[in-house]
Amino acid sequence: MAELLIVVAIIAVLVAVSIPIFINQLEKARRAVCLNERDTMRRAAAMATLTDDIDWTTYHDSAAVIAKLKDMGLIEEFECQSGGTIYADKNSIKAGNVSFRCTYHDDGKKPGDEEENLTGTGSALKNLQDALQDAWESYIKDNDKNNQKNNTAFLQNFFKNNNSEDYLKKEKVSDVLTEDQIEKLAKSMNEKQPGYTETQIRSVLQKYANSELTVAPYVLKDGTIVYYYTEDASRFGTDKTNHSNTSMMYYDGTWYMAPMGSANNLEIGFYPANFNSMLPSKFFEENRWIAVN
Ligand SMILES: [Zn+2]
């Protein structure tokens, strides 16, 4: 009996030691497969540049690049076995020399983290982003890509072919502006605009977070789509696709909040959602918008 117990104990120890080693090996193999696949994708993108004259700098984000490569039959669906998401590196797209990264193997994000890391993406925004992605692809295909990056024309076309009610959905701003973020924002707004106490600012932000607003798109000259919260989206769906006023804009993965101005401003949405040809980053800086994160 004692001998049997010793054997069982030894087996238990061996199993305990070998499982982590096995898991480690498995992860090494997954990493290698992921890396290899991304290298294949990178070569496919380079090939498209050489043989099909694809200019990646005209593609506005990773999803557009990947969709195009699939469309051309150069790559297939690939899932990182460690749960990461593969994406085309933004700077590499801008440089026209596309390379691919994995959110798990390169960025060290745990699978499932991504939803959280996309700070401030309510379901209305996601819905609209997905729909506009495809529309933008075909819009670029059908139009002179150098001259037609036109907010009105693109959105008119989109809402002519799609029911605006399906895409211009209202959501609670608190989907994006959480309690924690309100705390942080109140602090930094108070530093930048000492005219209000932190408590006053917090209460205005809280009220704003409780309101239900429509997420609407605005297309910049370079093809980037900025999203913004607006009270008045009624003009979409008609021929008038002008931007309206807003207090929160989503650009390049981040929501930005307008500075306080006067206490009622935030609720009304007092900034027009356009940049008059100014770079969004410059606009936010000059007008003291604050990143919500
Ligand atoms: Zn990976």
Side-chain angles (χ1 to χ4, degrees), residues 34 80 86 102 105:
C34 181
C80 166
I86 311 296
C102 169
H105 287 121

Side-chain angles (χ1 to χ4, degrees), residues 153-167:
F154 169 63
L155 291 179
Q156 261 175 9
N157 194 42
F158 179 78
F159 288 111
K160 201 166 67 196
N161 298 323
N162 294 282
N163 187 356
S164 60
E165 282 160 30
D166 289 346
Y167 294 104

